[in-house]
Amino acid sequence: MNKVFAVIRREFIERVRTKAFILSTFGLPLLMVAIMVLPILMMSGSDRTIRLAVVDATGEGDAGVGSRIVAGLERPTIKKGTLPRYAVSRVTPGGTVEATRDSLILETGGDSPDRLDGVLVLPAGTLVDGATEYYGTNAGSLETMGDLQQLVSGVVVSTRLEDAGVDPAVLTRAMKQASMRTIKVSDGKLTGESGTASFFLAYVMGFVLYMAVLLFGQQTMLSVIEEKNSRIMEILASSLRPFQMLMGKVLGVGAVGILQIGIWGGTIYLLGRNRGRIASLFNLPADAMAQLPIPTLPTDLLIVFMVYFALGFLVFGAIYAAVGAMVNSTQEAQQAATGVTMLIVVGFFGMFAVIKDPNGSVGSVMSLIPFTAPFVMPVRWSMTSVPVSELAMSIAAMIAGLMLVVWVAGKIYRTGILMYGKKPSLREVFRWVRS
């Protein structure tokens, strides 16, 4: 047993000491915090009053649509109502609209404190066809232009309704759409978690499992190929049994994956439960932080997630190690591992069937298959109430499948690590297993 621990220790230390592991492990939690904080900081700190000149060529005077648009632009505020959103000056063309517009464009931009940010032109047919023109330094800002267009459009529509004898307020109330708040229920109890948060959590969990099993499994395979080509296997085989080498390598790489996934999962767990503290730390509004679709990670889900990652990696890690023992180069490994990769992809796409219907027969069946359960069961657990008996059956099936896979992989590994030259055929591999 000490020899197996020696292999585990070597595989673990070799990987956790690399710069790539350190950057990826601790860089992702920092990225999570940045994703939560930066958008709110940017939206709360970049607002300023926009100086606009409105060229009113509608010819309707103070009671027309032009004056109403100007009045509408003067109402919005920023910075909790302390500043106006727009500083508007209404200009009636003394000559042609084009000449007035061009003279105002000359005052747009530059370093002057009285400079204009933009010129809004209201042609004579604005009320009929709704056509307006905007010339400004911020014309490329989609958010600013969207807000401006929405405000102008609302005033134009309201004016048309009033001219037709329709109360805009009545129509607005009649056209208001129904809203639906989705809240997850588990075992007859409200969880307080929204449906959007559940979907987001399920998708992220499935994707992380898919990438982790794929990447760490291939690392195991490439490590076996490297040691085989460098003839280190021959030295190790003189003091270790092949099964000890297989288990030491798979468990060592798996421990690295569990450590990394554990740090990531713990980060999501802490972020979801400490939004208020993060908001106060960065002086952000608590309501804005609460509205972010970052779900609270329950303790039981974190445990299920880690258990299935460990079992899933052991299954696929043993298969990848056996594939590495069968081949002699990276090119051969890529071809030989295609079937293993397809199994992982099937499990990943099975996640989408579970997201669509967590209690469907597809999800229930895939939860009992050792090659798909690592991806499907954690997602089902996050989205619906799974009976404990079904969870126990799934784990038991995973353990049984793991024992079978390790036994077969051990047979292949024992013979393959000392085989060089031509890649074995499937018939030869079956002969290794039967021997």
Side-chain angles (χ1 to χ4, degrees), residues 318-356:
I319 297 175
Y320 272 114
V323 171
M326 291 165 47
V327 299
N328 301 292
S329 66
T330 305
Q331 291 78 10
E332 292 180 358
Q334 292 175 348
Q335 297 177 356
T338 301
V340 187
T341 305
M342 290 303 299
L343 284 176
I344 298 175
V345 170
V346 169
F348 176 70
F349 281 107
M351 175 192 73
F352 293 98
V354 173
I355 291 176
K356 181 179 179 181

PDB file of all heavy atoms in Angstrom, residues 318-356:
ATOM      1  N   ALA A 318      -9.342   5.409 -15.310  1.00  0.00           N
ATOM      2  CA  ALA A 318      -8.835   4.049 -15.519  1.00  0.00           C
ATOM      3  C   ALA A 318      -8.887   3.672 -16.998  1.00  0.00           C
ATOM      4  O   ALA A 318      -7.961   3.027 -17.522  1.00  0.00           O
ATOM      5  CB  ALA A 318      -9.653   3.066 -14.683  1.00  0.00           C
ATOM      6  N   ILE A 319      -9.955   4.076 -17.688  1.00  0.00           N
ATOM      7  CA  ILE A 319     -10.061   3.773 -19.122  1.00  0.00           C
ATOM      8  C   ILE A 319      -8.966   4.502 -19.896  1.00  0.00           C
ATOM      9  O   ILE A 319      -8.302   3.920 -20.767  1.00  0.00           O
ATOM     10  CB  ILE A 319     -11.453   4.160 -19.657  1.00  0.00           C
ATOM     11  CG1 ILE A 319     -12.537   3.338 -18.968  1.00  0.00           C
ATOM     12  CG2 ILE A 319     -11.523   3.947 -21.162  1.00  0.00           C
ATOM     13  CD1 ILE A 319     -13.944   3.737 -19.351  1.00  0.00           C
ATOM     14  N   TYR A 320      -8.770   5.786 -19.588  1.00  0.00           N
ATOM     15  CA  TYR A 320      -7.729   6.551 -20.284  1.00  0.00           C
ATOM     16  C   TYR A 320      -6.344   5.971 -20.009  1.00  0.00           C
ATOM     17  O   TYR A 320      -5.479   5.944 -20.897  1.00  0.00           O
ATOM     18  CB  TYR A 320      -7.777   8.015 -19.855  1.00  0.00           C
ATOM     19  CG  TYR A 320      -8.703   8.863 -20.677  1.00  0.00           C
ATOM     20  CD1 TYR A 320      -9.841   9.433 -20.130  1.00  0.00           C
ATOM     21  CD2 TYR A 320      -8.434   9.113 -22.028  1.00  0.00           C
ATOM     22  CE1 TYR A 320     -10.694  10.226 -20.889  1.00  0.00           C
ATOM     23  CE2 TYR A 320      -9.276   9.907 -22.791  1.00  0.00           C
ATOM     24  CZ  TYR A 320     -10.404  10.452 -22.216  1.00  0.00           C
ATOM     25  OH  TYR A 320     -11.238  11.232 -22.976  1.00  0.00           O
ATOM     26  N   ALA A 321      -6.102   5.512 -18.784  1.00  0.00           N
ATOM     27  CA  ALA A 321      -4.808   4.903 -18.470  1.00  0.00           C
ATOM     28  C   ALA A 321      -4.605   3.620 -19.270  1.00  0.00           C
ATOM     29  O   ALA A 321      -3.491   3.346 -19.765  1.00  0.00           O
ATOM     30  CB  ALA A 321      -4.717   4.616 -16.971  1.00  0.00           C
ATOM     31  N   ALA A 322      -5.663   2.826 -19.417  1.00  0.00           N
ATOM     32  CA  ALA A 322      -5.565   1.604 -20.217  1.00  0.00           C
ATOM     33  C   ALA A 322      -5.300   1.932 -21.678  1.00  0.00           C
ATOM     34  O   ALA A 322      -4.497   1.257 -22.341  1.00  0.00           O
ATOM     35  CB  ALA A 322      -6.852   0.795 -20.077  1.00  0.00           C
ATOM     36  N   VAL A 323      -5.944   2.980 -22.191  1.00  0.00           N
ATOM     37  CA  VAL A 323      -5.698   3.394 -23.578  1.00  0.00           C
ATOM     38  C   VAL A 323      -4.254   3.839 -23.744  1.00  0.00           C
ATOM     39  O   VAL A 323      -3.596   3.508 -24.739  1.00  0.00           O
ATOM     40  CB  VAL A 323      -6.667   4.532 -23.972  1.00  0.00           C
ATOM     41  CG1 VAL A 323      -6.287   5.119 -25.334  1.00  0.00           C
ATOM     42  CG2 VAL A 323      -8.096   4.025 -24.012  1.00  0.00           C
ATOM     43  N   GLY A 324      -3.734   4.590 -22.758  1.00  0.00           N
ATOM     44  CA  GLY A 324      -2.343   5.021 -22.830  1.00  0.00           C
ATOM     45  C   GLY A 324      -1.370   3.856 -22.837  1.00  0.00           C
ATOM     46  O   GLY A 324      -0.318   3.909 -23.485  1.00  0.00           O
ATOM     47  N   ALA A 325      -1.713   2.778 -22.109  1.00  0.00           N
ATOM     48  CA  ALA A 325      -0.842   1.598 -22.087  1.00  0.00           C
ATOM     49  C   ALA A 325      -0.879   0.837 -23.406  1.00  0.00           C
ATOM     50  O   ALA A 325       0.078   0.131 -23.751  1.00  0.00           O
ATOM     51  CB  ALA A 325      -1.255   0.676 -20.939  1.00  0.00           C
ATOM     52  N   MET A 326      -1.958   0.962 -24.174  1.00  0.00           N
ATOM     53  CA  MET A 326      -2.099   0.229 -25.422  1.00  0.00           C
ATOM     54  C   MET A 326      -1.301   0.839 -26.564  1.00  0.00           C
ATOM     55  O   MET A 326      -0.926   0.135 -27.505  1.00  0.00           O
ATOM     56  CB  MET A 326      -3.581   0.172 -25.829  1.00  0.00           C
ATOM     57  CG  MET A 326      -4.449  -0.694 -24.927  1.00  0.00           C
ATOM     58  SD  MET A 326      -6.225  -0.374 -25.199  1.00  0.00           S
ATOM     59  CE  MET A 326      -6.329  -0.424 -26.983  1.00  0.00           C
ATOM     60  N   VAL A 327      -1.054   2.154 -26.534  1.00  0.00           N
ATOM     61  CA  VAL A 327      -0.475   2.853 -27.678  1.00  0.00           C
ATOM     62  C   VAL A 327       0.949   3.286 -27.355  1.00  0.00           C
ATOM     63  O   VAL A 327       1.422   3.174 -26.225  1.00  0.00           O
ATOM     64  CB  VAL A 327      -1.348   4.071 -28.066  1.00  0.00           C
ATOM     65  CG1 VAL A 327      -2.740   3.623 -28.462  1.00  0.00           C
ATOM     66  CG2 VAL A 327      -1.425   5.065 -26.909  1.00  0.00           C
ATOM     67  N   ASN A 328       1.607   3.818 -28.399  1.00  0.00           N
ATOM     68  CA  ASN A 328       3.009   4.210 -28.243  1.00  0.00           C
ATOM     69  C   ASN A 328       3.264   5.684 -28.537  1.00  0.00           C
ATOM     70  O   ASN A 328       4.376   6.157 -28.344  1.00  0.00           O
ATOM     71  CB  ASN A 328       3.882   3.373 -29.192  1.00  0.00           C
ATOM     72  CG  ASN A 328       3.753   1.888 -28.909  1.00  0.00           C
ATOM     73  OD1 ASN A 328       4.190   1.406 -27.872  1.00  0.00           O
ATOM     74  ND2 ASN A 328       3.140   1.158 -29.831  1.00  0.00           N
ATOM     75  N   SER A 329       2.260   6.420 -29.011  1.00  0.00           N
ATOM     76  CA  SER A 329       2.464   7.827 -29.350  1.00  0.00           C
ATOM     77  C   SER A 329       1.177   8.607 -29.108  1.00  0.00           C
ATOM     78  O   SER A 329       0.094   8.025 -28.964  1.00  0.00           O
ATOM     79  CB  SER A 329       2.898   7.974 -30.815  1.00  0.00           C
ATOM     80  OG  SER A 329       1.857   7.563 -31.685  1.00  0.00           O
ATOM     81  N   THR A 330       1.328   9.926 -29.091  1.00  0.00           N
ATOM     82  CA  THR A 330       0.172  10.791 -28.880  1.00  0.00           C
ATOM     83  C   THR A 330      -0.822  10.682 -30.033  1.00  0.00           C
ATOM     84  O   THR A 330      -2.041  10.722 -29.823  1.00  0.00           O
ATOM     85  CB  THR A 330       0.624  12.256 -28.728  1.00  0.00           C
ATOM     86  OG1 THR A 330       1.598  12.338 -27.681  1.00  0.00           O
ATOM     87  CG2 THR A 330      -0.538  13.161 -28.409  1.00  0.00           C
ATOM     88  N   GLN A 331      -0.309  10.530 -31.264  1.00  0.00           N
ATOM     89  CA  GLN A 331      -1.193  10.405 -32.420  1.00  0.00           C
ATOM     90  C   GLN A 331      -2.051   9.152 -32.318  1.00  0.00           C
ATOM     91  O   GLN A 331      -3.264   9.182 -32.582  1.00  0.00           O
ATOM     92  CB  GLN A 331      -0.371  10.375 -33.715  1.00  0.00           C
ATOM     93  CG  GLN A 331       0.301  11.689 -34.065  1.00  0.00           C
ATOM     94  CD  GLN A 331       1.559  11.938 -33.246  1.00  0.00           C
ATOM     95  OE1 GLN A 331       2.039  11.040 -32.542  1.00  0.00           O
ATOM     96  NE2 GLN A 331       2.093  13.146 -33.343  1.00  0.00           N
ATOM     97  N   GLU A 332      -1.441   8.042 -31.933  1.00  0.00           N
ATOM     98  CA  GLU A 332      -2.206   6.806 -31.760  1.00  0.00           C
ATOM     99  C   GLU A 332      -3.216   6.948 -30.627  1.00  0.00           C
ATOM    100  O   GLU A 332      -4.328   6.429 -30.699  1.00  0.00           O
ATOM    101  CB  GLU A 332      -1.267   5.644 -31.477  1.00  0.00           C
ATOM    102  CG  GLU A 332      -0.381   5.248 -32.654  1.00  0.00           C
ATOM    103  CD  GLU A 332       0.525   4.085 -32.311  1.00  0.00           C
ATOM    104  OE1 GLU A 332       0.489   3.623 -31.142  1.00  0.00           O
ATOM    105  OE2 GLU A 332       1.278   3.623 -33.196  1.00  0.00           O
ATOM    106  N   ALA A 333      -2.829   7.675 -29.576  1.00  0.00           N
ATOM    107  CA  ALA A 333      -3.719   7.850 -28.427  1.00  0.00           C
ATOM    108  C   ALA A 333      -4.973   8.626 -28.809  1.00  0.00           C
ATOM    109  O   ALA A 333      -6.070   8.312 -28.350  1.00  0.00           O
ATOM    110  CB  ALA A 333      -2.977   8.566 -27.309  1.00  0.00           C
ATOM    111  N   GLN A 334      -4.803   9.638 -29.648  1.00  0.00           N
ATOM    112  CA  GLN A 334      -5.958  10.432 -30.061  1.00  0.00           C
ATOM    113  C   GLN A 334      -6.977   9.586 -30.805  1.00  0.00           C
ATOM    114  O   GLN A 334      -8.186   9.760 -30.649  1.00  0.00           O
ATOM    115  CB  GLN A 334      -5.502  11.608 -30.922  1.00  0.00           C
ATOM    116  CG  GLN A 334      -4.700  12.657 -30.147  1.00  0.00           C
ATOM    117  CD  GLN A 334      -4.156  13.749 -31.038  1.00  0.00           C
ATOM    118  OE1 GLN A 334      -4.178  13.634 -32.273  1.00  0.00           O
ATOM    119  NE2 GLN A 334      -3.645  14.806 -30.443  1.00  0.00           N
ATOM    120  N   GLN A 335      -6.497   8.680 -31.630  1.00  0.00           N
ATOM    121  CA  GLN A 335      -7.416   7.806 -32.359  1.00  0.00           C
ATOM    122  C   GLN A 335      -8.048   6.778 -31.427  1.00  0.00           C
ATOM    123  O   GLN A 335      -9.258   6.529 -31.487  1.00  0.00           O
ATOM    124  CB  GLN A 335      -6.668   7.096 -33.484  1.00  0.00           C
ATOM    125  CG  GLN A 335      -6.111   8.044 -34.550  1.00  0.00           C
ATOM    126  CD  GLN A 335      -5.305   7.311 -35.602  1.00  0.00           C
ATOM    127  OE1 GLN A 335      -5.099   6.107 -35.515  1.00  0.00           O
ATOM    128  NE2 GLN A 335      -4.829   8.046 -36.594  1.00  0.00           N
ATOM    129  N   ALA A 336      -7.228   6.188 -30.551  1.00  0.00           N
ATOM    130  CA  ALA A 336      -7.733   5.136 -29.673  1.00  0.00           C
ATOM    131  C   ALA A 336      -8.708   5.673 -28.635  1.00  0.00           C
ATOM    132  O   ALA A 336      -9.597   4.952 -28.165  1.00  0.00           O
ATOM    133  CB  ALA A 336      -6.565   4.437 -28.982  1.00  0.00           C
ATOM    134  N   ALA A 337      -8.543   6.955 -28.254  1.00  0.00           N
ATOM    135  CA  ALA A 337      -9.390   7.536 -27.207  1.00  0.00           C
ATOM    136  C   ALA A 337     -10.678   8.133 -27.740  1.00  0.00           C
ATOM    137  O   ALA A 337     -11.465   8.690 -26.968  1.00  0.00           O
ATOM    138  CB  ALA A 337      -8.610   8.605 -26.449  1.00  0.00           C
ATOM    139  N   THR A 338     -10.919   8.018 -29.046  1.00  0.00           N
ATOM    140  CA  THR A 338     -12.132   8.601 -29.626  1.00  0.00           C
ATOM    141  C   THR A 338     -13.392   8.012 -28.998  1.00  0.00           C
ATOM    142  O   THR A 338     -14.345   8.735 -28.678  1.00  0.00           O
ATOM    143  CB  THR A 338     -12.158   8.372 -31.145  1.00  0.00           C
ATOM    144  OG1 THR A 338     -10.994   8.960 -31.730  1.00  0.00           O
ATOM    145  CG2 THR A 338     -13.397   8.996 -31.761  1.00  0.00           C
ATOM    146  N   GLY A 339     -13.398   6.699 -28.803  1.00  0.00           N
ATOM    147  CA  GLY A 339     -14.565   6.058 -28.202  1.00  0.00           C
ATOM    148  C   GLY A 339     -14.816   6.534 -26.787  1.00  0.00           C
ATOM    149  O   GLY A 339     -15.972   6.729 -26.382  1.00  0.00           O
ATOM    150  N   VAL A 340     -13.743   6.731 -26.010  1.00  0.00           N
ATOM    151  CA  VAL A 340     -13.893   7.216 -24.637  1.00  0.00           C
ATOM    152  C   VAL A 340     -14.466   8.635 -24.641  1.00  0.00           C
ATOM    153  O   VAL A 340     -15.351   8.968 -23.848  1.00  0.00           O
ATOM    154  CB  VAL A 340     -12.533   7.194 -23.912  1.00  0.00           C
ATOM    155  CG1 VAL A 340     -12.717   7.535 -22.433  1.00  0.00           C
ATOM    156  CG2 VAL A 340     -11.867   5.836 -24.049  1.00  0.00           C
ATOM    157  N   THR A 341     -13.935   9.459 -25.537  1.00  0.00           N
ATOM    158  CA  THR A 341     -14.431  10.832 -25.636  1.00  0.00           C
ATOM    159  C   THR A 341     -15.907  10.862 -26.009  1.00  0.00           C
ATOM    160  O   THR A 341     -16.676  11.685 -25.498  1.00  0.00           O
ATOM    161  CB  THR A 341     -13.616  11.622 -26.676  1.00  0.00           C
ATOM    162  OG1 THR A 341     -12.228  11.556 -26.336  1.00  0.00           O
ATOM    163  CG2 THR A 341     -14.047  13.068 -26.730  1.00  0.00           C
ATOM    164  N   MET A 342     -16.324   9.947 -26.886  1.00  0.00           N
ATOM    165  CA  MET A 342     -17.731   9.894 -27.281  1.00  0.00           C
ATOM    166  C   MET A 342     -18.620   9.531 -26.088  1.00  0.00           C
ATOM    167  O   MET A 342     -19.738  10.054 -25.953  1.00  0.00           O
ATOM    168  CB  MET A 342     -17.927   8.885 -28.411  1.00  0.00           C
ATOM    169  CG  MET A 342     -17.315   9.334 -29.741  1.00  0.00           C
ATOM    170  SD  MET A 342     -17.966  10.932 -30.305  1.00  0.00           S
ATOM    171  CE  MET A 342     -19.695  10.556 -30.486  1.00  0.00           C
ATOM    172  N   LEU A 343     -18.145   8.638 -25.215  1.00  0.00           N
ATOM    173  CA  LEU A 343     -18.917   8.305 -24.012  1.00  0.00           C
ATOM    174  C   LEU A 343     -19.111   9.545 -23.140  1.00  0.00           C
ATOM    175  O   LEU A 343     -20.194   9.783 -22.598  1.00  0.00           O
ATOM    176  CB  LEU A 343     -18.194   7.214 -23.212  1.00  0.00           C
ATOM    177  CG  LEU A 343     -18.286   5.785 -23.741  1.00  0.00           C
ATOM    178  CD1 LEU A 343     -17.434   4.864 -22.868  1.00  0.00           C
ATOM    179  CD2 LEU A 343     -19.729   5.304 -23.750  1.00  0.00           C
ATOM    180  N   ILE A 344     -18.062  10.341 -22.992  1.00  0.00           N
ATOM    181  CA  ILE A 344     -18.147  11.562 -22.188  1.00  0.00           C
ATOM    182  C   ILE A 344     -19.107  12.550 -22.836  1.00  0.00           C
ATOM    183  O   ILE A 344     -19.907  13.207 -22.150  1.00  0.00           O
ATOM    184  CB  ILE A 344     -16.746  12.176 -22.010  1.00  0.00           C
ATOM    185  CG1 ILE A 344     -15.837  11.199 -21.256  1.00  0.00           C
ATOM    186  CG2 ILE A 344     -16.821  13.509 -21.287  1.00  0.00           C
ATOM    187  CD1 ILE A 344     -14.406  11.662 -21.124  1.00  0.00           C
ATOM    188  N   VAL A 345     -19.041  12.670 -24.164  1.00  0.00           N
ATOM    189  CA  VAL A 345     -19.928  13.595 -24.873  1.00  0.00           C
ATOM    190  C   VAL A 345     -21.392  13.170 -24.718  1.00  0.00           C
ATOM    191  O   VAL A 345     -22.281  14.012 -24.533  1.00  0.00           O
ATOM    192  CB  VAL A 345     -19.537  13.681 -26.360  1.00  0.00           C
ATOM    193  CG1 VAL A 345     -20.581  14.446 -27.164  1.00  0.00           C
ATOM    194  CG2 VAL A 345     -18.167  14.336 -26.511  1.00  0.00           C
ATOM    195  N   VAL A 346     -21.654  11.865 -24.787  1.00  0.00           N
ATOM    196  CA  VAL A 346     -23.024  11.368 -24.602  1.00  0.00           C
ATOM    197  C   VAL A 346     -23.529  11.747 -23.215  1.00  0.00           C
ATOM    198  O   VAL A 346     -24.678  12.195 -23.052  1.00  0.00           O
ATOM    199  CB  VAL A 346     -23.076   9.846 -24.804  1.00  0.00           C
ATOM    200  CG1 VAL A 346     -24.429   9.287 -24.355  1.00  0.00           C
ATOM    201  CG2 VAL A 346     -22.842   9.492 -26.270  1.00  0.00           C
ATOM    202  N   GLY A 347     -22.681  11.589 -22.201  1.00  0.00           N
ATOM    203  CA  GLY A 347     -23.075  11.984 -20.852  1.00  0.00           C
ATOM    204  C   GLY A 347     -23.348  13.474 -20.748  1.00  0.00           C
ATOM    205  O   GLY A 347     -24.299  13.900 -20.087  1.00  0.00           O
ATOM    206  N   PHE A 348     -22.518  14.275 -21.426  1.00  0.00           N
ATOM    207  CA  PHE A 348     -22.698  15.730 -21.379  1.00  0.00           C
ATOM    208  C   PHE A 348     -24.014  16.138 -22.053  1.00  0.00           C
ATOM    209  O   PHE A 348     -24.761  16.958 -21.519  1.00  0.00           O
ATOM    210  CB  PHE A 348     -21.518  16.409 -22.063  1.00  0.00           C
ATOM    211  CG  PHE A 348     -21.645  17.907 -22.160  1.00  0.00           C
ATOM    212  CD1 PHE A 348     -21.562  18.693 -21.026  1.00  0.00           C
ATOM    213  CD2 PHE A 348     -21.857  18.516 -23.380  1.00  0.00           C
ATOM    214  CE1 PHE A 348     -21.683  20.074 -21.108  1.00  0.00           C
ATOM    215  CE2 PHE A 348     -21.969  19.898 -23.476  1.00  0.00           C
ATOM    216  CZ  PHE A 348     -21.883  20.684 -22.327  1.00  0.00           C
ATOM    217  N   PHE A 349     -24.318  15.557 -23.201  1.00  0.00           N
ATOM    218  CA  PHE A 349     -25.565  15.912 -23.879  1.00  0.00           C
ATOM    219  C   PHE A 349     -26.784  15.341 -23.155  1.00  0.00           C
ATOM    220  O   PHE A 349     -27.889  15.872 -23.283  1.00  0.00           O
ATOM    221  CB  PHE A 349     -25.533  15.437 -25.333  1.00  0.00           C
ATOM    222  CG  PHE A 349     -24.751  16.340 -26.232  1.00  0.00           C
ATOM    223  CD1 PHE A 349     -23.518  15.963 -26.714  1.00  0.00           C
ATOM    224  CD2 PHE A 349     -25.236  17.590 -26.582  1.00  0.00           C
ATOM    225  CE1 PHE A 349     -22.773  16.794 -27.535  1.00  0.00           C
ATOM    226  CE2 PHE A 349     -24.509  18.441 -27.403  1.00  0.00           C
ATOM    227  CZ  PHE A 349     -23.278  18.046 -27.884  1.00  0.00           C
ATOM    228  N   GLY A 350     -26.570  14.274 -22.395  1.00  0.00           N
ATOM    229  CA  GLY A 350     -27.663  13.775 -21.571  1.00  0.00           C
ATOM    230  C   GLY A 350     -28.098  14.786 -20.535  1.00  0.00           C
ATOM    231  O   GLY A 350     -29.251  14.785 -20.084  1.00  0.00           O
ATOM    232  N   MET A 351     -27.183  15.669 -20.156  1.00  0.00           N
ATOM    233  CA  MET A 351     -27.504  16.730 -19.202  1.00  0.00           C
ATOM    234  C   MET A 351     -28.632  17.620 -19.723  1.00  0.00           C
ATOM    235  O   MET A 351     -29.492  18.071 -18.960  1.00  0.00           O
ATOM    236  CB  MET A 351     -26.249  17.554 -18.931  1.00  0.00           C
ATOM    237  CG  MET A 351     -26.450  18.768 -18.053  1.00  0.00           C
ATOM    238  SD  MET A 351     -25.021  19.861 -18.069  1.00  0.00           S
ATOM    239  CE  MET A 351     -25.172  20.577 -19.721  1.00  0.00           C
ATOM    240  N   PHE A 352     -28.648  17.873 -21.037  1.00  0.00           N
ATOM    241  CA  PHE A 352     -29.673  18.751 -21.601  1.00  0.00           C
ATOM    242  C   PHE A 352     -31.054  18.101 -21.548  1.00  0.00           C
ATOM    243  O   PHE A 352     -32.064  18.788 -21.366  1.00  0.00           O
ATOM    244  CB  PHE A 352     -29.316  19.123 -23.034  1.00  0.00           C
ATOM    245  CG  PHE A 352     -28.089  19.990 -23.134  1.00  0.00           C
ATOM    246  CD1 PHE A 352     -26.856  19.439 -23.436  1.00  0.00           C
ATOM    247  CD2 PHE A 352     -28.169  21.352 -22.906  1.00  0.00           C
ATOM    248  CE1 PHE A 352     -25.724  20.229 -23.532  1.00  0.00           C
ATOM    249  CE2 PHE A 352     -27.048  22.158 -22.997  1.00  0.00           C
ATOM    250  CZ  PHE A 352     -25.822  21.590 -23.303  1.00  0.00           C
ATOM    251  N   ALA A 353     -31.099  16.777 -21.695  1.00  0.00           N
ATOM    252  CA  ALA A 353     -32.378  16.081 -21.549  1.00  0.00           C
ATOM    253  C   ALA A 353     -32.888  16.199 -20.120  1.00  0.00           C
ATOM    254  O   ALA A 353     -34.099  16.327 -19.883  1.00  0.00           O
ATOM    255  CB  ALA A 353     -32.219  14.608 -21.937  1.00  0.00           C
ATOM    256  N   VAL A 354     -31.968  16.197 -19.162  1.00  0.00           N
ATOM    257  CA  VAL A 354     -32.363  16.337 -17.762  1.00  0.00           C
ATOM    258  C   VAL A 354     -32.832  17.764 -17.470  1.00  0.00           C
ATOM    259  O   VAL A 354     -33.789  17.979 -16.730  1.00  0.00           O
ATOM    260  CB  VAL A 354     -31.184  15.954 -16.843  1.00  0.00           C
ATOM    261  CG1 VAL A 354     -31.507  16.253 -15.394  1.00  0.00           C
ATOM    262  CG2 VAL A 354     -30.857  14.479 -17.008  1.00  0.00           C
ATOM    263  N   ILE A 355     -32.150  18.752 -18.047  1.00  0.00           N
ATOM    264  CA  ILE A 355     -32.566  20.140 -17.842  1.00  0.00           C
ATOM    265  C   ILE A 355     -33.971  20.366 -18.397  1.00  0.00           C
ATOM    266  O   ILE A 355     -34.782  21.087 -17.806  1.00  0.00           O
ATOM    267  CB  ILE A 355     -31.557  21.099 -18.507  1.00  0.00           C
ATOM    268  CG1 ILE A 355     -30.218  21.064 -17.737  1.00  0.00           C
ATOM    269  CG2 ILE A 355     -32.092  22.514 -18.567  1.00  0.00           C
ATOM    270  CD1 ILE A 355     -29.128  21.906 -18.359  1.00  0.00           C
ATOM    271  N   LYS A 356     -34.279  19.722 -19.525  1.00  0.00           N
ATOM    272  CA  LYS A 356     -35.612  19.867 -20.117  1.00  0.00           C
ATOM    273  C   LYS A 356     -36.677  19.194 -19.269  1.00  0.00           C
ATOM    274  O   LYS A 356     -37.770  19.740 -19.064  1.00  0.00           O
ATOM    275  CB  LYS A 356     -35.609  19.257 -21.528  1.00  0.00           C
ATOM    276  CG  LYS A 356     -36.939  19.383 -22.240  1.00  0.00           C
ATOM    277  CD  LYS A 356     -36.872  18.779 -23.634  1.00  0.00           C
ATOM    278  CE  LYS A 356     -38.204  18.882 -24.342  1.00  0.00           C
ATOM    279  NZ  LYS A 356     -38.158  18.264 -25.705  1.00  0.00           N
TER     280      LYS A 356
END
